[in-house]
Amino acid sequence: MIELKNVSKSYYKVKAIDRLSLTVQEGEVLGILGPNGAGKTTLLKMIAGLVQPDNGRISPFFATWPTIAYKPERQLFPNHLRIKSYLEMIAKLSNLNRAQTEKEVTQALAWTGLSDAASKKIKHSSKGMRQRLGLAQLLIGRPQLLLLDEPSNGLDPTGQADIVRRVKQLQAAGRTILISSHQLHEMTEVCTRLIILKNGRIRYQNSMQAALNVTAHVLIHTDKKTANMAAFFAQMHPDISTDGKTVRLGERAFPLRRQMMMQLLRNGYDILRVEHKTATLADIYAEVVR
Ligand code: ATP
């Protein structure tokens, strides 16, 4: 859908984005992770066209730009307006006619659960309602690409779960979504692919499924030190190793686990526990950001 090639952006001496290349594929939910100041907001703002890169190029795949909606991390609303009037104003700014405005505003209110609060003044709305209003605003004009900067920031667990549910619905409806967040659990649930930024550069990128499976392994905990068996196991498969009273089988050695446990039992070991481990996003993040 969109391609970034060698894009850089500095604010005075700070390199917010440093020679970053990335493609955004249609229909994906791309998660952008990274510590504070890593460049996530700058990246989203550049794709939204709100910040110009100093170098490099951001271009659409097929000559025409997708329609884009951007939800900033801290969104300011005109507090004196009522929720519905605000969305109508956004519809007008998006060049929708009267009939389209009525239809899309009604749909956006219903979809974000704000129909009953439509006549409420924004200044009387809770933080959760404002976040939902920000999401409702995103939908007006049916944009193809949605850029969400920390959409669940400051929300309670119910509000966060709500955002996850709505992002999944948007993807199912065919939208392409870029989302930045510090909520690793949320990112694991919604993203199909992720990148981790640090100091303006991509330090890691993978599909979510591959990321979580890449370091899958089995740990077999026994009652005695396993060092005596190390050479034997290494000969069985290079992806088997020993550590203290534990034997570790990497993913490629999984098919040998029954055989391996038989060997342990034959050699007088008791098997106390077998653990099947997959990496969590927290493990991957910690490793990359360290
Ligand atoms: P956070 O997780 O805290 O929101 P981020 O990953 O979104 O951070 P950015 O907001 O993109 O990071 O900032 C990247 C770097 O650029 C930081 O060092 C930040 O201080 C700096 N920066 C961002 N905007 C400006 C600006 N308008 N003027 C000067 N420096 C800026």
Side-chain angles (χ1 to χ4, degrees), residues 240-260:
I240 305 178
S241 56
T242 59
D243 181 17
K245 296 178 181 176
T246 301
V247 184
R248 181 188 187 283
L249 281 87
E251 200 176 5
R252 287 172 302 138
F254 279 9
L256 295 174
R257 60 189 185 279
R258 278 171 66 87
Q259 205 180 329
M260 222 211 65

Side-chain angles (χ1 to χ4, degrees), residues 253-272:
F254 279 9
L256 295 174
R257 60 189 185 279
R258 278 171 66 87
Q259 205 180 329
M260 222 211 65
M261 284 192 269
M262 305 252 282
Q263 284 299 338
L264 282 170
L265 292 170
R266 270 195 210 115
N267 282 277
Y269 288 85
D270 270 348
I271 293 171
L272 304 180

Side-chain angles (χ1 to χ4, degrees), residues 9-12 14-17 32-45 51 73-74 149-150 180-182 197 200:
K9 173 72 194 173
S10 297
Y11 297 104
Y12 308 100
V14 176
K15 264 209 153 100
I17 293 292
I32 306 169
L33 286 171
N36 292 126
K40 304 179 292 298
T41 298
T42 306
L43 174 60
L44 290 175
K45 280 186 175 169
V51 164
E73 183 185 349
R74 275 179 296 278
D149 199 354
E150 301 195 30
S180 87
S181 175
H182 292 289
L197 293 183

